[in-house]
Amino acid sequence: MKRVINYSAGPAGIPVEVLEQARDEMLDWNGTGCSVMEVSHRGKDYDALHMGTMDLFRELAGLGPDYNVLFCTGGASTQFLMLPMNYLGAGKEADYVVTGNWSQAAVKEAKRYGKITHPADMHLGDGMFVAIPKQGELKLNPAAEYVHYTSNNTVEGTEWHYVPDVKGKPLVCDMSSDIFSRPVDFKKFSMIYAGAQKNLGPSGVTVVAVKDDFLQKAHDDLPTMMSYKVFKEKFSMHNTPPCFSIYILNLVMKWLKKNGGLEAMGKINEQKQKLLYSAIDGSAGYFKGTANVDSRSWMNVDFKLPTPELDAKFVSDAKAAGIIQTKGYRTMGGIRLSCYNAVSLKDVETTVQFMQDFKAKNPA
Ligand SMILES: *Cc1c(COP(=O)(O)O)cnc(C)c1O
């Protein structure tokens, strides 16, 4: 058996130790004589796992009990509608910073529920985004119920390197593709959410952390499965939760904690991105980064080779060398290396060597 170096943008790689533990426990989890998929979600074994996973999330994020951890389904995409459904309505407004494909998708849903304004819209036309706005460029709407932004733009390879100051408005962030990749002051947010399948585990569960005071402002009269208040009151067990995804989320967070938490992960991720961007910048223009240098993402490293033919050859030669899923998003072309937490520093070192060899063998 051979594990590949996996640059998938999502669902992404999962740490090998986590997969091994899941394998070992597949037939007999926690002494139950069955897998975690086969026990009642109302039983004590699952309940301890479920509640423990919420606690572990708060612990890693440095959040207190005033934050409610919710396990939702339908991906981050369902948060695009659940959030405005819970807070907007006739006459209500919200601020959405537009920095990429996913923030545009969030706006599309929010518009169904209220008037949406943009503190900044970084769209350059033709689906192109290369930059994150600076604090001074943000024009906040005083009537907004909340301000929403996307901390890492998975498609375009840009990332916020600061938490914006939104002058006391509730701050909401889609952290799907950089959550727990480095320390962040999570207490600055009224709500964050993330589909698990990039940095936290498998698809199927979306983690939402929402502060009490903001949660209290959510509407009451909503369809049950769309109500943040119901998720809180029922501890995300009004219906059957995605038990297996939550179990893997738990194991991934234990792995994170064992390896030094967000602090340690941040140091590794910083080194990873430095190695990759140095390889790009040191290639005399052979590899060209697509994002503005000051907005570059640590998680999704996007670049182009001199021709689309060389991009395609890079993808296929990389695959032959055991480095997979390097192709850029369909609207972007080029190469995207998604270096989430499960991609090791050694994986990146191997990749940089591959890039240098490729350049030597395939002159422009
Ligand atoms: C992947 C991604 C999404 C969509 O997530 P789903 O779980 O597939 O709905 C939303 N936002 C960001 C930033 C993403 O990276």
Side-chain angles (χ1 to χ4, degrees):
M1 185 198 68
K2 188 182 176 297
R3 291 283 292 176
V4 291
I5 297 177
N6 183 356
Y7 284 108
S8 172
I14 288 181
V16 174
E17 294 93 313
V18 169
L19 297 174
E20 284 170 343
Q21 186 174 345
R23 176 199 61 199
D24 293 346
E25 295 177 342
M26 188 62 81
L27 300 188
D28 182 3
W29 170 69
N30 218 24
T32 56
C34 38
S35 76
V36 70
M37 287 176 277
E38 302 167 295
V39 297
S40 167
H41 61 290
R42 308 281 177 207
K44 71 170 177 21
D45 291 287
Y46 180 75
D47 192 69
L49 171 76
H50 189 89
M51 302 307 285
T53 307
M54 292 175 173
D55 289 340
L56 190 50
F57 184 91
R58 268 186 294 262
E59 183 187 336
L60 283 169
L63 293 172
D66 53 332
Y67 279 83
N68 306 279
V69 177
L70 318 177
F71 296 140
C72 299
T73 52
S77 300
T78 297
Q79 296 310 305
F80 295 166
L81 71 100
M82 216 167 147
L83 169 69
M85 201 183 207
N86 274 262
Y87 293 98
L88 303 183
K92 302 255 189 194
E93 306 182 17
D95 254 346
Y96 277 68
V97 187
V98 180
T99 52
N101 166 89
W102 287 117
S103 36
Q104 283 180 321
V107 168
K108 184 176 169 217
E109 300 305 310
K111 275 184 171 162
R112 304 176 197 277
Y113 299 95
K115 182 181 166 196
I116 303 305
T117 47
H118 304 303
D121 184 344
M122 307 307 280
H123 190 213
L124 299 176
D126 277 347
M128 278 285 292
F129 291 89
V130 296
I132 298 298
K134 306 215 166 25
Q135 175 70 48
E137 293 173 285
L138 299 177
K139 291 180 187 63
L140 299 168
N141 171 5
E145 298 294 322
Y146 58 84
V147 183
H148 177 279
Y149 77 109
T150 314
S151 52
N152 183 71
N153 298 285
T154 324
V155 171
E156 297 83 2
T158 61
E159 186 174 15
W160 292 68
H161 296 291
Y162 70 101
V163 176
D165 176 0
V166 292
K167 317 291 172 206
K169 289 277 178 202
L171 184 59
V172 180
C173 188
D174 174 2
M175 294 193 178
S176 292
S177 55
D178 67 351
I179 189 161
F180 288 1
S181 62
R182 55 171 145 170
V184 167
D185 188 355
F186 287 94
K187 291 195 278 305
K188 288 185 174 169
F189 298 88
S190 290
M191 179 187 292
I192 58 148
Y193 62 90
Q197 69 272 22
K198 277 101 186 205
N199 250 347
L200 295 179
S203 60
V205 62
T206 307
V207 182
V208 178
V210 51
K211 201 175 177 179
D212 274 332
D213 58 356
F214 188 56
L215 192 119
Q216 262 142 40
K217 285 192 253 169
H219 301 316
D220 288 306
D221 188 21
L222 290 175
T224 310
M225 289 304 294
M226 288 290 115
S227 165
Y228 287 131
K229 283 182 174 167
V230 170
F231 273 84
K232 177 207 156 103
E233 280 151 24
K234 305 280 182 168
F235 297 98
S236 303
M237 280 217 249
H238 171 76
N239 75 327
T240 317
C243 304
F244 189 76
S245 295
I246 291 168
Y247 159 73
I248 299 288
L249 165 66
N250 182 280
L251 296 185
V252 169
M253 290 198 295
K254 280 191 180 136
W255 171 85
L256 247 178
K257 189 176 159 181
K258 198 180 101 198
N259 287 286
L262 274 51
E263 203 75 48
M265 199 46 69
K267 294 212 170 87
I268 296 169
N269 285 328
E270 181 171 19
Q271 283 176 281
K272 281 156 57 183
Q273 59 88 23
K274 264 193 194 143
L275 282 177
L276 287 171
Y277 287 119
S278 304
I280 291 168
D281 295 339
S283 70
Y286 186 81
F287 301 112
K288 275 199 183 64
T290 50
N292 285 2
V293 172
D294 64 359
S295 300
R296 281 173 167 176
S297 168
W298 288 19
M299 292 285 101
N300 310 96
V301 175
D302 288 17
F303 58 94
K304 288 193 160 125
L305 280 78
T307 63
E309 291 71 30
L310 282 171
D311 287 336
K313 187 165 196 301
F314 183 97
V315 172
S316 60
D317 285 12
K319 189 169 178 202
I323 304 172
I324 69 157
Q325 311 212 53
T326 59
K327 194 168 182 247
Y329 189 76
R330 59 185 186 277
T331 56
M332 291 285 295
I335 306 298
R336 170 172 57 176
L337 303 180
S338 298
C339 320
Y340 303 126
N341 290 349
V343 174
S344 70
L345 184 57
K346 189 163 161 286
D347 292 343
V348 168
E349 285 164 355
T350 304
T351 307
V352 166
Q353 188 59 53
F354 169 82
M355 287 167 70
Q356 281 158 359
D357 294 347
F358 185 90
K359 177 178 175 248
K361 279 189 230 151
N362 300 277

